[in-house]
Amino acid sequence: MSDILKTYNVSRETIDKLKTYEKLVLEWNNRFNLISKSSVEFIWERHIEDSLQLCQFITTEDEILYDFGSGAGFPAIVIAIVAEELFPNLRVSLVESIGKKATFLNEVKNVLGLNITVYNDRIEKLKLPKADIISSRALASLPKLLEYSKPFCKPTTRLIFPKGEKWKEEVLEAEKNWKFDYQTKQSLTSSTGCILQIKNIRRK
């Protein structure tokens, strides 16, 4: 068991679901190119653990999480699996505009029996209740993510975005048109990356 997984002290059933999800990604990747070939060998570290660390920002009081550009399901599927045990009130919705990827996400939902919703649509077209948390991994730059997120935000909504080594540049670019409060936390899976936690976004 990885050190990151140990910190959450989850059950064997949760670990087994994560491993089943890992197998599903690898099986479907041959047809749908869900993850890059270079990361297949390191799927657990590069994708599952990277997603798993976002659970540290979730509380038992959170009820609605939207994940934008879900792709193969990172981080949303990983969060949903862990949430069944640790955050039972949380309902995870995945937004993915590419049909074949949405098909895969629904297959994972059915195989693992997850209480998630998959929206095969563009973010801009959705009309949904305000979120407690919005996540997105490798979908777009921070200014674009703020644009996507604003319609789904209430004053207490937190945005959780893993970012690479150029995160400071993205923050500076976003601050040209937006005001927001943010904190950073060093990524546990990347020496140059961080996780941005953003609150209280408003246009300048």
Side-chain angles (χ1 to χ4, degrees):
M1 188 189 301
S2 69
D3 289 338
I4 296 176
L5 193 55
K6 285 179 182 177
T7 62
Y8 295 104
N9 192 31
V10 293
S11 66
R12 169 55 59 184
E13 181 182 3
T14 294
I15 295 171
D16 287 345
K17 281 193 174 184
L18 289 170
K19 290 181 176 178
T20 299
Y21 171 47
E22 176 187 28
K23 291 178 182 178
L24 286 169
V25 174
L26 293 175
E27 287 172 5
W28 283 62
N29 198 53
N30 295 325
R31 288 183 286 162
F32 285 176
N33 194 29
L34 296 169
I35 60 175
S36 65
K37 291 182 180 179
S38 62
S39 68
V40 166
E41 184 180 354
F42 310 103
I43 180 174
W44 189 268
E45 297 82 3
R46 186 85 60 87
H47 296 293
I48 293 178
E49 289 190 339
D50 192 51
S51 300
L52 190 63
Q53 65 178 326
L54 299 191
C55 291
Q56 66 186 295
F57 300 99
I58 301 172
T59 74
T60 54
E61 296 179 356
D62 292 319
E63 295 181 351
I64 299 175
L65 183 151
Y66 298 145
D67 183 64
F68 294 155
S70 297
F74 303 113
I77 294 293
V78 173
I79 291 173
I81 291 171
V82 173
E84 287 187 325
E85 183 174 353
L86 300 185
F87 314 111
N89 294 325
L90 189 68
R91 297 296 172 262
V92 178
S93 294
L94 298 80
V95 183
E96 175 52 55
S97 63
I98 298 175
K100 61 183 181 181
K101 292 182 178 179
T103 297
F104 169 73
L105 295 174
N106 276 309
E107 174 70 6
V108 174
K109 171 185 176 177
N110 294 332
V111 171
L112 297 182
L114 296 177
N115 185 17
I116 62 174
T117 303
V118 178
Y119 293 98
N120 180 204
D121 209 340
R122 297 188 63 82
I123 300 165
E124 307 94 312
K125 293 183 178 181
L126 292 175
K127 304 293 183 182
L128 297 171
K130 307 296 185 184
D132 295 304
I133 302 175
I134 296 173
S135 63
S136 187
R137 182 176 179 260
L139 172 65
S141 65
L142 184 58
K144 191 66 176 175
L145 288 174
L146 296 182
E147 193 73 43
Y148 285 146
S149 300
K150 184 65 172 71
F152 306 96
C153 285
K154 55 187 177 182
T156 56
T157 299
R158 289 113 62 210
L159 313 180
I160 311 296
F161 301 142
K163 285 294 177 181
E165 59 184 346
K166 294 185 178 181
W167 69 266
K168 291 182 181 179
E169 296 173 29
E170 291 193 38
V171 168
L172 290 173
E173 186 64 27
E175 286 178 332
K176 292 178 181 178
N177 297 305
W178 296 88
K179 291 183 179 180
F180 51 90
D181 305 321
Y182 77 94
Q183 295 178 319
T184 64
K185 189 146 189 177
Q186 172 67 47
S187 171
L188 299 175
T189 57
S190 168
S191 60
T192 58
C194 77
I195 301 168
L196 282 175
Q197 180 176 221
I198 297 173
K199 300 178 182 178
N200 196 25
I201 68 171
R202 60 266 190 214
R203 299 182 192 275
K204 281 192 173 181

